[in-house]
Amino acid sequence: MDLAYLRAHPTRLPTFLTHQRIRETPVAGGSICAASRLTLDDGQSLFAKTWPERAGRPVPEDFFTTEAAGLRWLREAGQVPVPEVVVALPELLALDWVASGEPTPEAAERFGRELAGLHRAGAASFGADRPGFIGALPQDNTPDPGPWPQWFAHRRLVPYLRASVANGALTPTETALVDRVIDGIDSFGGDEPPARVHGDLWPGNLLWGADGRVWLVDPAAHGGHRETDLAQLALFGGAPHGDRIMAAYREAWPLADGWRERVPLHQLHLLLVHTALFGAGYRSAVAAAARAALGGVERATVDR
């Protein structure tokens, strides 16, 4: 089994794995899927993702093919490097292997410029032409012409707020704070046409390559607001050399007035996804983001 054969016969990969005809080495992955390195007979390697065996939790329909479509859509822009999809099947996804390197200021600056180029590639609407996922959760990608604030409130905040209340992750106190953000969504400003966004761009979904570039992996790709990608980069400790990324991005494509005050608003989406997926451990982060968002819009109103 070499890469040329696999490209010609992608559906045979599960059989070769089952019969141990390919060397498979577990590697670090995310919290949702199992990840491994596949070494082929010609010495080429692939990165593979599969759905772990979980009682009562079968792989969601179209989970891997949806991710593959998102990777291809981001790759089509020809801006930020994205691994090529080699195999996309209902039960697994296999991508070109990208050798990892160390984060550098030079790579960060190049990534900032390339990310601006990706966003400029745009999208036909908010959402996408296919249902989506973020983590293991469905994400409503119903195409919507906007405006952005109402789309963001009802497609990106409300569903995960409801899920977080239903699983007990949020108390009435945090729920009321997020409801205030949603009710006042039009006051935040920042309405823009849809950008081509990664959609789940926390720092763990950046792959710093040995080639000196930053690669995008694990997307929840759709037409969204470019500030959402940028705000997510600052979560969970922030991306390495984040200040260099932002400076290069803003030089390539300046951000609208008030973008700093909107950072916690954009972060609220991914934080609500975390309370919906992982529970109350992220409750305080949701509350802090909601308070910061409300405080930011109040300060901006006073300044105006």
Side-chain angles (χ1 to χ4, degrees):
M1 167 75 80
D2 58 21
L3 186 56
Y5 181 90
L6 185 58
R7 289 185 188 279
H9 307 89
T11 60
R12 298 186 183 178
L13 179 57
T15 301
F16 278 81
L17 289 172
T18 298
H19 294 285
Q20 298 182 341
R21 295 285 302 277
I22 298 174
R23 189 171 73 190
E24 184 175 10
T25 307
V27 297
S31 56
I32 304 299
C33 292
S36 59
R37 180 174 185 170
L38 309 183
T39 304
L40 307 181
D41 291 341
D42 59 2
Q44 298 277 358
S45 290
L46 300 176
F47 175 85
K49 295 173 66 171
T50 57
W51 188 261
E53 296 287 340
R54 293 189 178 103
R57 291 194 64 189
V59 56
E61 185 177 1
D62 296 327
F63 183 78
F64 290 116
T65 54
T66 294
E67 181 175 341
L71 287 164
R72 292 183 178 117
W73 187 61
L74 297 177
R75 186 179 170 90
E76 284 170 5
Q79 299 293 327
V80 185
V82 178
E84 182 182 357
V85 176
V86 177
V87 177
L89 300 173
E91 65 271 37
L92 65 83
L93 180 67
L95 313 174
D96 271 344
W97 181 265
V98 178
S100 60
E102 294 298 321
T104 66
E106 295 77 18
E109 290 175 1
R110 181 171 183 175
F111 171 62
R113 294 188 294 270
E114 292 175 337
L115 184 61
L118 174 67
H119 290 164
R120 277 192 186 276
S125 66
F126 293 104
D129 61 359
R130 61 198 172 274
F133 293 92
I134 186 159
L137 297 177
Q139 183 156 267
D140 186 351
N141 277 345
T142 303
D144 191 320
W148 167 77
Q150 290 297 321
W151 171 83
F152 187 73
H154 294 290
R155 305 289 189 188
R156 293 297 181 262
L157 298 182
V158 170
Y160 306 107
L161 173 62
R162 289 175 177 164
S164 300
V165 171
N167 71 6
L170 299 181
T171 72
T173 299
E174 296 85 38
T175 303
L177 284 169
V178 178
D179 277 335
R180 284 179 59 197
V181 173
I182 292 168
D183 291 344
I185 195 73
D186 290 323
S187 63
F188 286 89
D191 187 25
E192 289 190 0
R196 187 171 304 210
V197 301
H198 178 283
D200 189 10
L201 200 57
W202 70 286
N205 284 341
L206 300 183
L207 176 55
W208 298 78
D211 59 356
R213 301 183 75 185
V214 180
W215 295 66
L216 295 183
V217 296
D218 294 345
H222 63 276
H225 200 304
R226 61 193 179 114
E227 290 178 9
T228 304
D229 270 357
L230 296 170
Q232 291 174 349
L233 282 173
L235 283 170
F236 312 130
H241 309 294
D243 57 337
R244 306 290 280 269
I245 295 172
M246 286 299 301
Y249 184 101
R250 293 173 61 203
E251 182 178 349
W253 191 8
L255 294 167
D257 290 345
W259 70 268
R260 289 183 178 84
E261 288 74 21
R262 287 187 293 272
V263 166
L265 169 66
H266 289 280
Q267 291 177 339
L268 193 53
H269 163 51
L270 197 54
L271 293 171
L272 286 169
V273 169
H274 276 66
T275 50
L277 267 175
F278 305 119
Y282 291 91
R283 177 187 294 164
S284 61
V286 166
R291 289 192 184 98
L294 291 167
V297 75
E298 288 168 2
R299 287 192 299 273
T301 300
V302 170
D303 291 342
R304 286 197 293 268

